[in-house]
């Protein structure tokens, strides 16, 4: 009923948790076939299967989030549309789950996977 | 008709189509037909969206994707189907918009790959091509979400495989394909809970269905113009507004839920209903239809008898409209009339806990109300929807509760419109703010004025404690009357009267001119009048206003100005 009893304590959400939400949204987005780490080892993109949060960088300034995500896209899709969808879906999921505003989602396409050469 | 020359068109002037081969020009006609039919149903597909994302208009996205494909083939007079399909695929790729557009272009890409540089396509190749389109589409995503256009593509592929074992007539196979697509689309809410919650089927899947249905309608010689029958998703079916006025011959309202039989024809259904009554609406939802009609007294059972011939009736509701209108006239529960807002003007969305308060807000120029308040906070989505539904792009939100401010701010940041939140923490603050509204004013200016106005009003809230607790040094026992002044607990009392006067003196009533009460649903009018009389005796120079607030939990919300 008053200010004091509504404060049950603090809620902390780790960057790792936020990154996991972002990477899951990206992987469910059509056209994304994997995430890549930011630093490329010998120029080879590594398709990640293990840690659900690598390939994502989270910056939180106390008010809002900025996300950088590094993706690998299926060859033969329209990359711009895929990237736009990824960005929208990440923003939507983060704001829905965390109720923290997202100022930017930067999508970096690190490579293309060719499963069907035309 | 089994044509000797397989490269020649086999589709012109066919009465009972028996199509064994399709060439490039045939494909072009089919693509044209599918685009026309999707265009006719574009709005319906758009209305199925559940994700509030800016480019979320699936129907428009798919149409633009196909339009780009058409631009690629419009001038082509190639007879080779392989070349035509590759051009379609290329055009779709270039114009792919949104998730569903990208998937659609992948479907075409797989389709074209199988046709390679063939001259024409028979049933075997068609099945292989549909199969490959499914495979290609699934390869483009790590975690395919089922209950989407992907699922429909998968179900279609399975259906043509079975169909092609029975016949090599492409027309018959397409017919089976469209049937399977329909079944698959209707099933999508079972696979994707968010669709079920929203009461819709998947929009991308439905778009794909229309593309194929357009081809089928073309071959059957049916119109590709929009059918006159508007069908809508159940979730968007608003039957309440129909009640506000009735005309002669609209004595009864009949609403029937039913599962249509297999050969159900929407057009015929609509036509026959219109012979019985008026105000017909037909909604489509989770594997069922809902029809709504107004009929004269003597025909009130006719819609039921007729609908029973069209499918399995699951639910029937009949209401006497004449009686309802009289009831409506008696009670004050008339549909709220909101201030109309024109594009470019500033609109206000507010959150209200009760009908009485909503009515007051509406009379002061609010354009939309989201229901909510203490213990029933509205979601960001609900607020965002109210903002998006307004025809203007400048919106101010008044949350009127400190627990709703965050949801309002998050709705503001998600909206593509210019949205400002004036952080009103109570109904009196909200009312004080709305008085500053000037729809033609500058939104930043108005926001500032409204924010300044929040401090000009003292808010009191009186409720009954639901548990024993000690807060701010105040000992509260369950069942006692407690008072909050601007959200702070100031005391706990044995009765309403003591609570009321304590608030007035604590809030500095001497320096104020006007006392406004909004009484809640948990207090009777005579008790309110008695209290008002006492207040008037104690403060004879104050102006006293009493309104039915209709809010739950709080006996009184009090505003001091």
């Amino acid at each position: 009923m008053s200010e004091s009893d509504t404060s049950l304590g603090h809620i902390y959400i780790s960057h790792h948790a936020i990154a996991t939400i972002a990477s899951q949204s990206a992987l469910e987005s059509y056209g994304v076939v994997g995430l890549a780490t930011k630093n490329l080892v010998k120029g080879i993109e590594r398709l990640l299967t293990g840690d659900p949060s690598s390939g994502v960088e989270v910056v939180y300034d106390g008010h809002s989030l900025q996300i950088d995500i590094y993706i690998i896209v299926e060859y033969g899709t329209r990359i711009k549309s895929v990237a736009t969808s990824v960005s929208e879906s990440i923003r939507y999921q983060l704001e829905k789950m965390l109720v923290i505003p997202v100022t930017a989602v930067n999508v970096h396409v690190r490579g293309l996977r060719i499963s069907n050469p035309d | 008709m089994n044509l000797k020359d397989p490269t020649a068109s086999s589709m012109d002037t066919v009465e009972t189509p028996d199509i064994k081969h399709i060439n490039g020009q045939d494909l072009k006609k089919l693509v044209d037909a599918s685009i026309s039919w999707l265009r006719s149903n574009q709005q319906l597909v758009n209305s199925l969206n559940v994700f509030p994302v800016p480019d979320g208009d699936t129907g428009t996205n798919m149409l633009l994707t196909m339009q780009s494909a058409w631009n690629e083939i419009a001038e082509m007079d190639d007879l080779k189907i392989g070349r035509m399909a590759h051009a379609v695929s290329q055009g779709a790729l270039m114009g792919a918009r949104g998730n569903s557009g990208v998937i659609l272009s992948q479907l075409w890409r797989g389709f074209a790959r199988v046709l390679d540089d063939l001259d024409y396509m028979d049933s075997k190749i068609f099945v292989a091509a549909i199969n490959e389109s499914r495979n290609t589409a699934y390869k483009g995503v790590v975690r395919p979400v089922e209950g989407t256009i992907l699922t429909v593509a998968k179900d279609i592929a399975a259906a043509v495989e079975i169909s092609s074992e029975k016949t090599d007539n492409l027309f018959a196979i397409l017919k089976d394909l469209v049937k399977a697509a329909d079944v698959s689309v209707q099933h999508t809410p079972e696979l994707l809970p968010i669709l079920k919650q929203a009461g819709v089927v998947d929009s991308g899947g439905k778009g794909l269905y229309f593309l194929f249905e357009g081809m089928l309608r073309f071959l059957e010689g049916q119109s590709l113009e929009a059918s006159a029958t508007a069908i809508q998703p159940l979730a968007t079916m608003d039957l309440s507004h129909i009640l506000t006025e009735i005309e002669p011959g609209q004595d009864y309202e009949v609403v029937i839920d039913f599962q249509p039989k297999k050969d159900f024809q929407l057009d015929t259904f609509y036509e026959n209903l219109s012979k019985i009554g008026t105000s017909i609406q037909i909604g489509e939802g989770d594997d069922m239809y809902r029809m709504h009609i107004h009929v004269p007294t003597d025909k009130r059972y006719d819609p039921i008898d007729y609908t029973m011939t069209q499918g399995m009736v699951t639910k029937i509701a009949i209401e006497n409209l004449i009686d309802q209108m009289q009831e409506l006239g008696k009670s004050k529960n008339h549909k709220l009339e909101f201030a109309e807002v024109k594009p470019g003007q500033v609109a206000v969305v507010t959150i209200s806990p009760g009908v009485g308060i909503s009515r007051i807000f509406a009379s002061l120029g609010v354009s939309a109300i989201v229901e909510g308040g203490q213990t029933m906070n509205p979601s960001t989505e609900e607020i965002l929807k109210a903002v998006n539904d307004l025809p203007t792009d400048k919106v101010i939100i008044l949350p009127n509760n400190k627990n709703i401010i965050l949801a309002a701010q998050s709705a503001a940041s998600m909206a593509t419109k210019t949205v400002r939140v004036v952080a009103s923490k109570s109904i009196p603050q909200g009312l004080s703010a709305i008085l500053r509204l000037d729809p033609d004013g500058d939104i930043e200016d108005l926001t500032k004025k409204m924010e300044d106005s929040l401090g000009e009003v003292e808010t009191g809230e009186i409720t009954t404690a639901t548990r024993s607790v000690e807060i701010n040094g105040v000992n509260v026992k369950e069942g006692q009357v407690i008072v909050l002044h601007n959200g702070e607990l100031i005391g706990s009392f044995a009765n309403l009267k003591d609570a009321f006067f304590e608030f007035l003196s604590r809030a500095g009533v001497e320096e104020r001119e006007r006392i406004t009460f909004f009484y809640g649903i948990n207090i009777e009018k005579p008790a309110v009048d008695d209290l008002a009389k006492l207040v008037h005796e104690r403060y004879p120079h104050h102006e006293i206003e009493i309104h039915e607030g209709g809010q739950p939990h709080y006996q009184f919300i009090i505003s001091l100005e």
Side-chain angles (χ1 to χ4, degrees):
Chain A
M1 282 303 180
S2 82
E3 298 287 343
S4 56
D5 81 330
T6 57
S7 174
L8 298 169
H10 290 283
I11 298 172
Y12 297 101
I13 301 167
S14 72
H15 283 203
H16 186 82
I18 295 170
T20 306
I21 299 173
S23 71
Q24 293 304 302
S25 321
L27 290 175
E28 283 187 357
S29 271
Y30 193 84
V32 177
V33 291
L35 301 182
T37 45
K38 186 192 173 192
N39 298 311
L40 301 180
V41 183
K42 291 171 190 168
I44 299 165
E45 274 90 357
R46 189 161 60 94
L47 291 176
L48 294 170
T49 47
D51 183 0
S53 70
S54 36
V56 187
E57 281 170 21
V58 178
V59 178
Y60 181 59
D61 64 4
H63 303 286
S64 56
L65 288 168
Q66 186 185 319
I67 305 291
D68 280 79
I69 188 155
Y70 300 85
I71 60 170
I72 296 172
V73 172
E74 173 72 14
Y75 173 82
T77 56
R78 192 166 186 237
I79 294 168
K80 181 173 175 285
S81 294
V82 171
T84 313
S85 295
V86 167
S87 153
E88 272 160 8
S89 130
I90 290 178
R91 175 188 295 265
Y92 174 75
Q93 290 295 344
L94 285 176
E95 291 187 339
K96 189 177 87 166
M97 293 190 194
L98 304 174
V99 200
I100 298 173
V102 176
T103 47
V105 177
N106 301 315
V107 179
H108 307 259
V109 179
R110 300 303 303 218
L112 298 177
R113 186 191 70 184
I114 305 176
S115 43
N116 293 300
D118 287 306
Chain B
M1 190 184 333
N2 197 353
L3 294 179
K4 297 237 167 62
D5 174 9
T7 57
S9 170
S10 59
M11 289 180 349
D12 292 326
T13 65
V14 176
E15 302 223 290
T16 12
D18 180 11
I19 303 165
K20 298 281 193 266
H21 303 101
I22 283 179
N23 69 16
Q25 285 306 304
D26 297 334
L27 181 66
K28 183 173 167 180
K29 282 180 209 153
L30 289 171
V31 168
D32 187 24
S34 67
I35 294 173
S36 300
W37 188 234
L38 179 62
R39 185 180 297 114
S40 299
N41 290 285
Q42 178 187 358
Q43 291 314 325
L44 190 155
V45 177
N46 284 347
S47 73
L48 296 173
N49 273 318
V50 287
F51 285 65
V53 290
D55 94 329
D57 287 334
T58 308
T60 307
N61 285 343
M62 291 180 83
L63 185 62
L64 287 170
T65 304
M66 286 310 294
Q67 194 67 54
S68 163
W70 176 254
N71 293 344
E72 200 71 23
I73 61 170
E75 304 295 321
M76 279 176 67
D77 44 19
D78 240 291
L79 284 177
K80 282 178 145 232
I81 194 163
R83 270 199 226 156
M84 193 63 75
H86 276 287
V88 171
S89 160
Q90 182 66 17
L93 169 65
M94 305 288 281
R97 289 229 329 195
N99 247 330
S100 42
V102 175
I103 298 174
L104 186 58
S105 74
Q106 286 293 92
L107 289 170
W108 273 110
R109 186 163 160 247
F111 193 82
R113 187 179 307 122
V114 169
L115 297 184
D116 197 21
D117 62 349
L118 295 176
D119 292 336
Y120 61 91
M121 161 176 94
D122 61 14
S123 66
K124 282 204 180 62
I125 297 168
F126 180 65
V127 172
I130 290 283
N131 246 303
E132 184 58 25
S133 42
R134 171 200 57 195
N135 293 346
T136 308
Y138 267 88
K139 273 178 196 157
V141 63
V142 186
R143 234 156 272 167
V145 182
E146 293 298 343
T148 64
I149 183 172
L150 286 172
T151 312
V152 178
K154 182 173 75 183
D155 292 347
I156 283 174
V160 292
E161 194 116 36
I162 295 167
S163 180
S164 69
E165 282 163 15
K166 291 179 294 187
T167 175
D168 62 352
N169 177 1
L170 283 163
F171 173 76
I173 295 174
L174 181 64
K175 208 164 177 171
D176 286 347
L177 182 160
V178 170
K179 215 179 285 169
D182 189 26
V183 171
S184 179
V185 168
Q186 297 306 329
H187 188 62
T188 54
E190 302 305 321
L191 300 171
L192 197 54
I194 192 168
L195 297 175
K196 196 158 194 165
Q197 279 163 27
V200 296
V201 295
D202 178 63
S203 53
K206 190 81 184 179
L208 187 62
Y209 165 78
F210 280 130
L211 286 171
F212 283 115
E213 197 194 24
M215 297 183 185
L216 184 64
R217 287 179 76 93
F218 169 73
L219 294 177
E220 286 173 337
Q222 293 192 58
S223 158
L224 297 168
E225 298 296 312
S227 59
T229 332
I231 188 158
Q232 48 188 331
L234 275 185
T236 65
M237 210 170 158
D238 176 18
L239 301 180
S240 58
H241 73 276
I242 300 172
L243 268 182
T244 50
E245 56 187 66
I246 53 168
E247 291 155 16
Q250 303 195 327
D251 306 336
Y252 277 83
E253 175 188 69
V254 184
V255 179
I256 304 173
D257 287 357
F258 65 102
Q259 286 164 349
K261 57 180 187 176
K262 286 214 164 62
D263 55 350
F264 177 73
Q265 285 284 338
L266 188 62
D267 295 340
T268 332
F269 183 64
Y270 193 91
E271 205 181 304
N272 285 326
L273 282 181
S274 54
K275 287 176 198 153
I276 307 174
T278 54
S279 294
I280 299 161
Q281 286 197 36
I282 301 169
E284 181 184 21
D286 198 3
D287 206 19
M288 58 158 277
Y289 280 63
R290 171 172 298 165
M291 68 78 97
H292 164 282
I293 192 170
H294 285 173
V295 289
T297 311
D298 59 322
K299 286 189 178 170
R300 65 191 183 277
Y301 301 120
D302 292 11
I304 305 168
D305 291 341
Y306 174 61
T307 307
M308 282 173 90
T309 67
Q310 296 301 304
M312 194 177 78
V313 171
T314 55
K315 210 166 128 194
I316 300 169
I318 305 185
E319 286 187 76
N320 184 333
L321 289 180
I322 305 282
D323 188 48
Q324 262 186 21
M325 283 308 289
Q326 283 161 353
E327 281 296 310
L328 273 176
K330 266 186 256 164
S331 85
K332 292 177 198 155
N333 288 341
H334 268 304
K335 186 91 183 163
L336 290 173
E337 293 212 356
F338 291 118
E340 259 190 52
V341 59
K342 296 192 190 75
Q345 286 190 320
V346 179
V348 174
V349 172
T350 194
I351 288 79
S352 161
V355 281
I357 290 170
S358 300
R359 202 176 304 126
I360 297 163
F361 270 116
S363 71
L364 292 174
V366 161
S367 299
I369 284 177
V370 179
E371 277 182 32
Q374 202 64 31
T375 71
M376 45 173 187
N377 295 346
S379 68
T380 302
E381 279 81 7
E382 287 172 85
I383 301 173
L384 187 64
K385 184 176 180 305
V387 168
N388 285 342
D389 285 351
L390 291 171
T392 180
D393 59 353
K394 290 180 212 149
V395 181
I396 295 177
I397 307 176
L398 299 173
N400 302 338
N401 185 310
K402 69 176 194 303
N403 297 332
I404 302 174
I405 294 175
L406 191 62
Q409 280 165 345
S410 124
S413 71
M414 283 163 78
T416 47
K417 300 181 174 186
T418 307
V419 182
R420 298 286 172 263
V421 177
V422 173
S424 56
K425 291 182 185 162
S426 65
I427 300 299
Q429 285 196 340
L431 289 170
S432 171
I434 189 73
L435 292 174
R436 272 71 183 175
L437 176 65
D438 165 16
D440 298 313
D442 174 64
I443 184 162
E444 307 299 344
D445 212 37
L446 280 169
T447 307
K448 179 82 181 48
K449 280 188 188 149
M450 288 187 180
E451 277 165 354
D452 291 345
S453 77
L454 299 182
E456 294 169 14
V457 58
E458 301 287 333
T459 303
E461 287 156 307
I462 296 182
T463 183
T464 308
T466 51
R467 63 193 166 101
S468 300
V469 70
E470 187 188 326
I471 306 158
N472 289 1
V474 179
N475 250 314
V476 178
K477 289 211 177 60
E478 189 184 327
Q480 281 191 317
V481 178
I482 54 175
V483 184
L484 294 98
H485 172 217
N486 292 343
E488 293 279 340
L489 181 65
I490 57 170
S492 126
F493 304 87
N495 59 55
L496 274 174
K497 190 188 101 193
D498 293 350
F500 210 101
F501 283 110
E502 175 66 15
F503 163 72
L504 292 180
S505 72
R506 287 281 281 269
V509 69
E510 310 291 348
E511 287 145 41
R512 304 282 173 168
E513 294 164 349
R514 182 201 296 249
I515 307 167
T516 312
F517 307 20
F518 301 94
Y519 63 93
I521 48 173
N522 51 357
I523 186 164
E524 299 290 326
K525 185 74 168 44
V528 178
D529 290 339
D530 288 349
L531 191 62
K533 220 162 114 190
L534 289 173
V535 173
H536 180 66
E537 280 164 17
R538 178 92 61 98
Y539 301 104
H541 302 297
H542 283 72
E543 212 177 300
I544 297 173
E545 264 187 51
I546 303 169
H547 295 289
E548 180 191 349
Q551 72 272 16
H553 309 305
Y554 291 89
Q555 284 91 335
F556 287 105
I557 294 172
I558 312 150
S559 159
L560 272 189
E561 294 159 79

